Amino acid sequence: MREESWDHQITDTGNNVHENCGTRQFGGTATMLFNHVASTVNGTGYDSSGLGRWSWTQLQGKYGVSATIITAYCPCKSNPTSPETVYNQQRRYLMTKNRDVCPCEAFRHNLSAFITQRVQKGDQIILCIDLNEDINRDNGPIQQTLLHSNGLTNILTHKHNFLTPATHNQGTKTIDAIYVSPNLVDCNATRWLPFEHGIGDHRVAFLDINL
């Protein structure tokens, strides 16, 4: 995925490194930055568990401001008879660590702790996430943690005071979102795009900010 107009490109990815699934493995995340934005990258990384639940990139902005972009994916709960699902991949790993816990709960706790860690380092947060929760119901545990424990704002619902659209082309719910730190709420623009404007089966969202 490259065009001649991209003079500079950085890609940061994460995937489950604990299992060899051959040429196809469900799950993982990726963050891609181009041209001027790529030149501001100050560090990259991924979920320290090695499960590929999120990847992150730190940007250095003006006047000493730094921001961490996090791309994250929380799995859907799935039947144990489907061993290849992301949920069951993570379940197996957690059991090897004697953690008899739902992977979604582990995700919520660990992601919240990582965000807190980045904030304590002085970073603003831009979280692009597939929660697999109905955001419009506003009672999902992951969203509640991000809003109330981490103090983030769902920028799309904040800027557009109406119920957000379905974000999977075969679904009826908003399961994707962008959450930002309070200092980034005053953005230039943010919006959902039609499905045909993306390359996958989820709706594309964009956020235009100055750093």
Side-chain angles (χ1 to χ4, degrees):
M1 185 178 179
R2 184 172 179 84
E3 294 185 359
E4 292 183 2
S5 60
W6 298 342
D7 299 321
H8 188 28
Q9 173 184 341
I10 291 178
T11 302
D12 181 37
T13 63
N15 69 286
N16 181 3
V17 301
H18 303 291
E19 297 185 1
N20 183 357
C21 300
T23 58
R24 183 180 184 185
Q25 182 187 64
F26 293 103
T29 61
T31 306
M32 303 180 72
L33 302 102
F34 307 100
N35 293 343
H36 170 69
V37 177
S39 69
T40 68
V41 170
N42 199 38
T44 63
Y46 48 83
D47 169 20
S48 61
S49 74
L51 289 173
R53 298 175 296 179
W54 62 81
S55 49
W56 60 271
T57 303
Q58 185 191 50
L59 306 181
Q60 187 61 55
K62 298 178 180 178
Y63 313 114
V65 174
S66 60
T68 293
I69 300 176
I70 306 168
T71 306
Y73 171 70
C74 180
C76 297
K77 293 184 178 181
S78 58
N79 193 300
T81 59
S82 302
E84 74 284 355
T85 65
V86 180
Y87 184 89
N88 285 324
Q89 288 179 47
Q90 295 182 10
R91 176 74 172 162
R92 286 192 294 272
Y93 171 80
L94 292 168
M95 292 300 289
T96 66
K97 301 299 182 181
N98 296 316
R99 296 183 63 193
D100 187 10
V101 60
C102 169
C104 299
E105 277 299 295
F107 172 90
R108 180 176 68 88
H109 174 78
N110 297 154
L111 178 61
S112 177
F114 175 73
I115 291 171
T116 297
Q117 178 188 79
R118 300 307 304 180
V119 171
Q120 289 175 344
K121 290 179 179 292
D123 283 7
Q124 305 298 313
I125 300 296
I126 303 169
L127 171 64
C128 307
I129 183 173
D130 179 350
L131 296 83
N132 277 310
E133 288 181 357
D134 185 356
I135 291 169
N136 285 321
R137 292 184 64 186
D138 198 30
N139 63 354
I142 297 175
Q143 171 154 261
Q144 290 300 303
T145 297
L146 295 172
L147 295 178
H148 302 297
S149 296
N150 294 114
L152 302 181
T153 297
N154 182 333
I155 191 63
L156 285 147
T157 57
H158 176 78
K159 286 293 186 181
H160 306 287
N161 190 24
F162 52 80
L163 294 180
T164 48
T167 54
H168 188 277
N169 62 10
Q170 296 182 19
T172 59
K173 303 172 182 177
T174 306
I175 60 174
D176 304 274
I178 301 175
Y179 296 88
V180 300
S181 296
N183 289 344
L184 300 181
V185 167
D186 189 21
C187 64
N188 298 324
T190 185
R191 186 164 299 180
W192 289 109
L193 298 180
F195 284 113
E196 61 269 19
H197 287 244
I199 60 174
D201 53 7
H202 284 246
R203 192 183 295 271
V204 172
F206 75 83
L207 171 65
D208 182 7
I209 61 173
N210 297 321
L211 279 180

